Amino acid sequence: SAVISQKPSRDICQRGTSLTIQCQVDSQVTMMFWYRQQPGQSLTLIATANQGSEATYESGFVIDKFPISRPNLTFSTLTVSNMSPEDSSIYLCSVRVSGEKLFFGSGTQLSVL
Amino acid sequence: AQSVTQPDIHITVSEGASLELRCNYSYGATPYLFWYVQSPGQGLQLLLKYFSGDTLVQGIKGFEAEFKRSQSSFNLRKPSVHWSDAAEYFCAVGPSGGSYIPTFGRGTSLIVHP
């Protein structure tokens, strides 16, 4: 199993600012995933972050808007840049451990005014 | 492309009643299927998964799900719901093997009345 600590748990931000979300795992993992969960919507994968390489972004998401760092095998950050109200969502980090089992952080609830 | 449909946005049941949450998927081959639960303010927790074999899968917290290939369904059931089961439930489908990344349904919100 894996225990994931995600910070902050929630934040209220002003339009045009940026927020960095941190994800710390209690074990070394190769792949970390960042998801967005918009109200009433399913989880949408933003990007896959592998240590030592550039993150791989899904269609509709770009590095300039959602830069990701993955400095080691237990930590990653996602930055939501130049925020607008449309970025108000829950952001979740996830790791894959022992095959196809995903573990999730508790999420960051972001509100942009 | 794979997709998941959870047709019910909200389900309301009385405590002690039985529960069935529907999930239909679209996938060209044998899928991996999952149910996750998200309690308020929490991340997602895996309830159960189906990879192969017995089509009736037992999970944690008294939940089970049945894979029906002919109906492309993987419905989640519980014989007697507890108030603590109130949460958001997500069905997910993923390809078998490879760089597995699941596709999630939109979720079903379960409301439990005392």
Side-chain angles (χ1 to χ4, degrees):
Chain A
S1 67
V3 177
I4 302 172
S5 174
Q6 188 173 338
K7 295 190 287 188
S9 58
R10 60 178 64 236
D11 208 341
I12 300 173
C13 301
Q14 295 296 320
R15 180 195 299 261
T17 62
S18 298
L19 175 72
T20 295
I21 302 168
Q22 299 180 1
C23 183
Q24 178 77 51
V25 189
D26 68 343
S27 58
Q28 294 184 335
V29 294
T30 303
M31 299 178 76
M32 295 180 75
F33 307 94
W34 287 98
Y35 285 88
R36 182 174 70 184
Q37 184 181 12
Q38 293 178 303
Q41 308 267 336
S42 64
L43 279 74
T44 302
L45 182 65
I46 297 172
T48 302
N50 292 331
Q51 193 268 335
S53 63
E54 293 284 330
T56 302
Y57 289 82
E58 298 299 305
S59 175
F61 298 97
V62 295
I63 187 171
D64 289 346
K65 176 67 175 177
F66 297 101
I68 288 172
S69 78
R70 184 78 201 275
N72 56 53
L73 290 173
T74 64
F75 187 78
S76 178
T77 67
L78 170 76
T79 298
V80 186
S81 304
N82 188 25
M83 289 184 285
S84 67
E86 292 71 33
D87 295 319
S88 298
S89 288
I90 298 174
Y91 292 85
L92 293 150
C93 72
S94 174
V95 302
R96 188 168 74 197
V97 176
S98 63
E100 287 73 18
K101 189 170 184 177
L102 291 180
F103 291 86
F104 287 84
S106 55
T108 297
Q109 181 150 7
L110 171 62
S111 298
V112 183
L113 304 179
Chain B
Q2 61 206 41
S3 66
V4 179
T5 301
Q6 292 180 249
D8 303 307
I9 298 174
H10 302 284
I11 290 281
T12 302
V13 299
S14 297
E15 189 169 18
S18 62
L19 170 70
E20 182 169 33
L21 302 182
R22 296 184 291 166
C23 173
N24 293 96
Y25 68 90
S26 174
Y27 187 68
T30 302
Y32 284 0
L33 294 160
F34 307 82
W35 274 100
Y36 285 85
V37 60
Q38 184 181 33
S39 298
Q42 303 290 318
L44 277 72
Q45 180 184 22
L46 181 66
L47 283 175
L48 48 79
K49 61 183 185 288
Y50 170 79
F51 287 173
S52 64
D54 193 346
T55 56
L56 184 62
V57 181
Q58 301 297 320
I60 63 171
K61 305 185 180 187
F63 285 92
E64 66 177 27
E66 186 170 12
F67 170 55
K68 293 185 177 180
R69 185 187 300 275
S70 61
Q71 299 177 19
S72 297
S73 69
F74 189 57
N75 295 347
L76 182 71
R77 301 194 294 248
K78 187 170 184 178
S80 178
V81 171
H82 188 263
W83 65 265
S84 60
D85 293 324
E88 192 85 15
Y89 291 81
F90 293 91
C91 181
V93 62
S96 51
S99 57
Y100 153 82
I101 298 175
T103 298
F104 287 85
R106 63 182 296 173
T108 297
S109 179
L110 174 63
I111 302 165
V112 180
H113 281 316

